[in-house]
Amino acid sequence: MGTALSSSSFGLIVSPLLGGIVYAKAGYMSVFAMALALIVVDIVMRLIMIEKKTAVKYKPAEAVTPSNGFYGTFTEQQPSDHGHVHGSPPSGKPQDGSDNAPLLANGSKEPPRKKWKMPTILVLLSMPRLLAAIYGIFVNVSILAAFDGVLSLYVKKLFGWDSLNAGLIFLCLAVPALTGPLVGKLSDKVGPRWIAVAGCSLTAPPLILLRLVAYDSMEQKILLCGLLVCCGFTLILIVSPVAADLSAVVEAKEKADPDAFGPGGAYAQAFALFNCSMAAATLFGPVVAGALVERHGWGVMTAAMGVFAFSGAIPAFFYTGGWIFDKKPDS
């Protein structure tokens, strides 16, 4: 999970770098040609991907159980060793699960009444632990998107850099993002709570200190690069813990209430909310950061982003890995 989500963050960071290099060397249209080529590669990889519903046909029936790691995404009923399908009673017994169902006037049994269930999406949104994970990734992507929107323009104005140099500055954020799998491994060992809290809390100081980059000199350029590297290493601490906790919270809910989400599970909808949060962040970050820079200046924008980063530590402290006052260990 850490590898997958780190790749997403890495792509968000490295895109200005590649765009700046290609624009400086090959021109405007080449940037879009590169983007189109990446889309074609993505389509091809999706076409050759084997879906779980296809893979299950080549697995023994006993291997497809709710505990085999497929998270309830297989909805086909599998035959058991006793000749009936899993999840349904053996033949000869009533399907409503009761031998004493009430009889109607014509002697037939009354069909069981369906209980009203809250829509899965509302169940997910009512879970504070899941909301904490969604907010954590929203903070992370918003800050990265804010850099995409304002950093290139600021260094062009302050240092007079062209698109190539402005793109290369994003290496300071991109290289630390490659440590995502290591962060995921660490999160698996010590739990997601303190990794996520540390990521949000430690991102605030270098963001606020970016206000010190205010004039053109070699020392200021070195300071900018150093602070961006610090931001890169702290921001990546947020991604893996909250992404892993997103799966854990859905799994914990299904164990506590097997009927909460139905036979199809809720993993797809949970990650859909996760992706919606990321999409909203790519809009929120550049718009807010750009407005702050235009109206109040670079220093106010970096201070606001620092406070915003620290705000992510509050829900992470209380809910990531489970309620902080719960006696159970972090999952």
Side-chain angles (χ1 to χ4, degrees), residues 231-268:
C231 288
F233 277 114
T234 55
L235 282 170
I236 201 62
L237 295 176
I238 305 173
V239 180
S240 297
V242 298
D245 204 49
L246 190 75
S247 298
V249 65
V250 176
E251 184 177 359
K253 181 66 174 179
E254 289 183 336
K255 287 182 179 179
D257 184 5
D259 297 327
F261 303 125
Y267 287 89

Side-chain angles (χ1 to χ4, degrees), residues 155 157-161 213-221:
V155 296
K157 177 182 177 181
L158 187 64
F159 302 140
W161 287 354
V213 181
Y215 56 91
D216 186 7
S217 71
M218 182 58 66
E219 291 78 9
Q220 290 282 285
K221 295 174 183 178

Side-chain angles (χ1 to χ4, degrees), residues 129 132 193 197 313-326:
R129 184 177 172 185
R193 184 191 314 279
V197 170
I314 300 173
F317 174 77
F318 285 105
Y319 293 110
T320 299
W323 176 237
I324 183 64
F325 299 110
D326 194 345

Side-chain angles (χ1 to χ4, degrees), residues 26-282:
Y28 181 78
M29 296 303 297
S30 299
V31 177
F32 293 94
M34 177 183 64
L36 181 61
L38 290 174
I39 293 174
V40 172
V41 172
D42 179 72
I43 293 174
V44 172
M45 294 182 69
R46 290 175 187 269
L47 290 175
I48 64 176
M49 180 176 62
I50 300 176
E51 295 187 3
K52 293 178 180 178
K53 290 184 178 181
T54 303
V56 72
K57 298 177 182 179
Y58 303 95
K59 288 182 173 289
E62 61 273 10
V64 184
T65 62
S67 60
N68 69 348
F70 288 108
Y71 305 120
T73 56
F74 294 105
T75 56
E76 295 91 354
Q77 292 179 322
Q78 299 295 327
S80 68
D81 296 336
H82 300 288
H84 63 276
V85 296
H86 292 293
S88 63
S91 59
K93 293 185 179 181
Q95 297 296 317
D96 58 3
S98 174
D99 293 328
N100 299 318
L103 298 177
L104 300 178
N106 58 4
S108 61
K109 292 185 177 181
E110 182 181 359
R113 296 180 180 179
K114 294 183 178 180
K115 296 182 179 180
W116 182 86
K117 296 177 63 175
M118 184 182 295
T120 300
I121 196 72
L122 296 181
V123 175
L124 293 172
L125 290 174
S126 66
M127 301 165 65
R129 184 177 172 185
L130 184 135
L131 293 177
I134 291 176
Y135 184 70
I137 198 64
F138 179 79
V139 169
N140 177 274
V141 177
S142 293
I143 295 172
L144 293 177
F147 281 131
D148 285 352
V150 302
L151 182 59
S152 298
L153 296 176
Y154 186 69
V155 296
K156 179 181 180 181
K157 177 182 177 181
L158 187 64
F159 302 140
W161 287 354
D162 58 12
S163 61
L164 177 59
N165 292 327
L168 288 174
I169 194 65
F170 283 89
L171 277 175
C172 299
L173 291 169
V175 173
L178 297 176
T179 61
L182 298 178
V183 176
K185 185 177 181 179
L186 179 63
S187 178
D188 291 337
K189 288 185 177 181
V190 304
R193 184 191 314 279
W194 301 114
I195 304 296
V197 170
C200 294
S201 301
L202 296 177
T203 300
L207 279 175
I208 296 174
L209 290 175
L210 280 171
R211 66 186 293 113
L212 301 177
V213 181
Y215 56 91
D216 186 7
S217 71
M218 182 58 66
E219 291 78 9
Q220 290 282 285
K221 295 174 183 178
I222 295 174
L223 176 62
L224 174 63
C225 293
L227 291 173
L228 289 177
V229 169
C230 292
C231 288
F233 277 114
T234 55
L235 282 170
I236 201 62
L237 295 176
I238 305 173
V239 180
S240 297
V242 298
D245 204 49
L246 190 75
S247 298
V249 65
V250 176
E251 184 177 359
K253 181 66 174 179
E254 289 183 336
K255 287 182 179 179
D257 184 5
D259 297 327
F261 303 125
Y267 287 89
Q269 294 184 65
F271 278 96
L273 289 174
F274 203 70
N275 288 331
C276 287
S277 177
M278 297 176 67
T282 59

